[in-house]
Amino acid sequence: MKGSLNIVGLGPGAPGQITGEVEFALMAATDIVGYGPYVERAATPGAVLHASDNRVELERAHHALDLAAAGRRVVVASSGDPGVFAMAAAVFEALETRPEDHGLDIHVLPGVTAMLAAAARVGAPLGHDFCALNLSDNLKPWALIEKRLRLAAEADFAMAFYNPRSTARPHQFETALAILRAACGPSRLIVFARAVGGADERIEVTTLGEAKAEMADMRTLVIVGSSTTRRVGRFVYTPRSAP
């Protein structure tokens, strides 16, 4: 039996934002592997569910590769897009150490990442050049995050921030806001988009001067505009041209 491995994105939360090809892969799966809440979202009749903790990405990736090598039709589920701070990179990192499995039938199926879903809720704040940063220091030093924040602000990108604040690191996001205020000024627009597409969705648009660290948690996607980002009615957008 020939196995396969599909690394899929489930979108930010709303069922309507799961793509058709991801739905097809889920229905064909014999096994669904991933972080517990994502496996629950991805569950389909007949599939064996392999849920695990959020900090065992490489172990999860090796397990998925083992299943595919044994002939199973495996889905590795991520929220958003699997290639954006998610499981696709972890699977390929594991695959790099397994040359015997380089010929496996592996596909990455894209999804709607939280950055794009949040931007769509408020208008088009990412309409010109932008960058995305993961503010968690689990896999990189905080000093590197601070450096990238300063350089992104200096380059005048709009910025999208994943994993801004958690109970394990409640103070770092306040440091990030201070860096951004110093670099961008207090009037720069900032968007807090929590649980986009979910029943408890919350969207707040304010300025860096008014922003509080407590407005974000691990379910919040934060967007900071560039110097040209502005409001038009109830929307926020960044013009497509730069001065």
Side-chain angles (χ1 to χ4, degrees):
M1 180 179 175
K2 184 179 180 181
S4 64
L5 176 57
N6 286 309
I7 313 162
V8 311
L10 301 175
Q17 291 180 323
I18 299 177
T19 70
E21 68 174 351
V22 168
E23 289 184 335
F24 183 82
L26 290 171
M27 293 305 299
T30 60
D31 299 81
I32 299 175
V33 177
Y35 175 45
Y38 305 155
V39 169
E40 290 179 13
R41 283 178 54 197
T44 52
V48 179
L49 306 182
H50 304 266
S52 54
D53 184 75
N54 200 28
R55 294 196 179 189
V56 293
E57 289 91 348
L58 277 179
E59 293 91 334
R60 183 184 303 141
H62 280 290
H63 181 47
L65 289 166
D66 288 341
L67 291 168
R72 308 288 286 178
R73 297 188 303 276
V74 184
V75 164
V76 173
S78 294
S79 66
D81 180 278
V84 180
F85 307 126
M87 279 302 299
V91 169
F92 293 121
E93 185 177 347
L95 185 66
E96 192 172 4
T97 68
R98 302 167 60 123
E100 71 278 9
D101 290 327
H102 285 187
L104 281 174
D105 184 20
I106 299 175
H107 300 273
V108 179
L109 307 184
V112 179
T113 187
M115 171 179 65
L116 301 181
R121 280 291 191 269
V122 298
L126 306 179
H128 192 52
D129 295 342
F130 66 90
C131 65
L133 296 173
N134 186 341
L135 296 188
S136 170
D137 63 349
N138 287 336
L139 297 174
K140 60 181 181 285
W142 177 252
L144 179 60
I145 295 172
E146 289 193 3
K147 177 181 179 180
R148 289 176 174 174
L149 278 171
R150 291 189 177 95
L151 291 174
E154 180 183 344
D156 200 20
F157 287 117
M159 295 167 269
F161 301 133
Y162 286 74
N163 303 319
R165 184 172 180 269
S166 71
T167 54
R169 43 184 183 83
H171 307 300
Q172 291 173 343
F173 186 53
E174 182 55 57
T175 301
L177 288 175
I179 290 170
L180 292 168
R181 289 188 194 104
C184 304
S187 62
R188 187 69 58 90
L189 291 174
I190 182 171
V191 178
F192 293 86
R194 186 180 189 278
V196 176
D200 52 347
E201 175 181 300
R202 185 180 73 245
I203 309 292
E204 297 179 82
V205 180
T206 185
T207 64
L208 281 174
E210 296 294 325
K212 306 295 182 186
E214 294 76 17
M215 297 169 72
D217 62 14
M218 285 292 284
R219 299 186 66 197
T220 306
L221 189 289
V222 178
I223 295 175
V224 174
S226 74
S227 62
T228 65
T229 303
R230 50 188 183 262
R231 294 178 187 259
V232 53
R234 61 187 177 89
F235 299 106
V236 175
Y237 90 106
T238 303
R240 293 175 297 158
S241 59

